[in-house]
Amino acid sequence: METETLLKELEPTVEANLNRHLEVAQEWMPHEYVPWAEGRNFALLDGEPWSLEQSTLSPIARTALEVNLLTEDNLPSYHREVERAFGRESAWGEWVNRWTAEEGRHAFCIRDYLLVTRGVDPDELERARMQTMEAGYDSGEKPLLNVCAYVSFQELATRVSHRNTGKITEDPVAERLLTRVAKDENLHMIFYRNIVDAALQLLPGPTMRAITDEVVNFQMPGSVIPGFARKAVQMAKAGIYDLRIHHDDIVMPLLRQWRIFELEGLDEEGEKARDELAQAIAALDREATRFVTQRDEAAAKIAARRG
Ligand SMILES: [Fe+2]
Ligand SMILES: [Fe+2]
């Protein structure tokens, strides 16, 4: 099916889900979540420059907050991607702008929190933001069905990452803020998930193929952040986002929701894609088990050494 036709066919679903989203999304004020009274000037305004001992966050909490913030910072690139795929017309275009407006507040409230509390090195953060945005995010002309499948997984992944980052800060203020951001991500996930559901009804084979390809090739949107690979490993070790979470809390819930393995009447292409998907998630599951076992063993060794 031509992309133009597909956009038209899915338009009623997009419109219904946009309306549903607008009804359930509660207005919230990012400034309410920032402890402004803790803020003070930096060097240029005759204040104190940042130094490490000012941060009350643990190193892993700093890393996770920075990764999550820089991921959100790249919004102009994500906007470009969804606008290219969904267009500016009809409910699709309305969703693109609404979604972008909601995403916009994520970066600035997390940044406000970090600057006011002196949680991370602000110079380093600004340089990393510049690098991240200059790298941009480019999915390489991903087709519509793939974009819809990818963003379903990605929104759920960022929801979980924000939630778990909030917990690891051990700061109730940060946790409240990130829990609020995670709620937005959850509603975004539901929107995209419902579009994929409709696409599965409309074009089961090609949609199955798109889902399989996006599971197999999944990468976090933040993969362009400087030092991402190293930081992602630290976050995995800390249990903020690891393969077990990716398999159990992101991939499987969506596949279950879409009734991927109960779906009947698939064409040959669809059946082939589903077989590949089954193999891919089995491999992911094995890898996740291996990762967790190694992590547990390493933790046991450290505990034994400490006596
Ligand atoms: Fe976000
Ligand atoms: Fe989102």
Side-chain angles (χ1 to χ4, degrees):
M1 195 183 279
E2 291 277 320
T3 305
E4 276 308 305
T5 322
L6 186 52
L7 284 167
K8 264 246 143 335
E9 292 282 339
L10 289 173
E11 198 187 302
T13 307
V14 171
E15 191 176 348
N17 277 281
L18 172 64
N19 291 335
R20 188 197 153 280
H21 178 86
L22 295 174
E23 254 167 54
V24 296
Q26 288 162 328
E27 184 185 43
W28 64 281
M29 295 299 159
H31 61 270
E32 297 281 359
Y33 290 77
V34 178
W36 299 103
E38 289 181 35
R40 58 193 198 277
N41 291 352
F42 289 100
L44 185 71
L45 297 179
D46 301 324
E48 208 189 336
W50 186 85
S51 61
L52 184 60
E53 73 279 359
Q54 294 164 359
S55 175
T56 56
L57 296 168
S58 66
I60 184 60
R62 277 201 294 275
T63 299
L65 276 159
E66 205 183 73
V67 165
N68 287 15
L69 171 53
L70 293 169
T71 301
E72 296 286 349
D73 272 329
N74 230 354
L75 179 60
S77 273
Y78 312 142
H79 173 82
R80 185 176 58 202
E81 290 284 319
V82 292
E83 192 268 349
R84 178 192 55 75
F86 301 167
R88 297 178 186 186
E89 308 302 319
S90 73
W92 283 105
E94 243 180 275
W95 168 258
V96 171
N97 286 346
R98 169 73 192 203
W99 172 84
T100 305
E102 290 185 9
E103 288 292 348
R105 62 190 166 208
H106 297 170
F108 61 70
C109 58
I110 300 173
R111 172 167 285 97
D112 289 343
Y113 166 82
L114 287 174
L115 294 180
V116 156
T117 60
R118 298 193 171 225
V120 301
D121 181 342
D123 295 354
E124 199 187 289
L125 179 65
E126 177 61 6
R127 288 188 190 115
R129 185 189 67 81
M130 288 295 291
Q131 257 184 282
T132 301
M133 292 188 71
E134 284 179 68
Y137 177 87
D138 187 356
S139 79
E141 302 289 303
K142 207 173 252 192
L144 180 60
L145 290 175
N146 290 69
V147 172
C148 293
Y150 176 74
V151 290
S152 302
F153 294 116
Q154 168 269 316
E155 292 284 358
L156 188 49
T158 44
R159 174 203 185 188
V160 169
S161 186
H162 284 311
R163 271 300 276 128
N164 291 344
T165 296
K167 283 184 209 153
I168 213 145
T169 61
E170 293 179 359
D171 173 5
V173 174
E175 192 168 358
R176 190 191 300 146
L177 166 68
L178 289 166
T179 301
R180 193 61 198 77
V181 171
K183 264 194 191 177
D184 278 4
E185 312 297 20
N186 192 47
L187 286 184
H188 298 160
M189 179 277 290
I190 292 170
F191 176 89
Y192 293 125
R193 184 187 75 191
N194 292 348
I195 307 303
V196 171
D197 232 339
L200 275 168
Q201 311 270 314
L202 189 67
L203 293 172
T207 307
M208 190 67 78
R209 169 48 62 196
I211 292 169
T212 300
D213 289 348
E214 295 311 315
V215 168
V216 170
N217 301 315
F218 185 82
Q219 268 203 321
M220 284 298 231
S223 55
V224 299
I225 291 169
F228 180 78
R230 181 172 43 84
K231 289 169 183 170
V233 169
Q234 291 167 0
M235 287 169 74
K237 282 187 179 158
I240 297 166
Y241 200 94
D242 59 34
L243 289 173
R244 177 51 58 216
I245 292 171
H246 186 64
H247 175 277
D248 291 2
D249 303 336
I250 282 84
V251 175
M252 292 315 290
L254 279 166
L255 299 185
R256 245 178 265 129
Q257 183 77 31
W258 290 326
R259 300 178 179 284
I260 288 297
F261 295 104
E262 287 105 78
L263 214 66
E264 282 173 32
L266 277 176
D267 57 6
E268 204 180 315
E269 180 200 15
E271 287 293 357
K272 191 167 165 279
R274 180 157 62 182
D275 287 347
E276 275 176 48
L277 181 58
Q279 285 173 24
I281 55 177
L284 177 62
D285 192 25
R286 284 193 300 274
E287 248 186 284
T289 302
R290 205 177 314 137
F291 173 79
V292 171
T293 308
Q294 282 170 358
R295 184 173 63 190
D296 290 350
E297 282 170 5
K301 261 186 214 158
I302 291 170
R305 230 177 286 147
R306 281 188 189 141

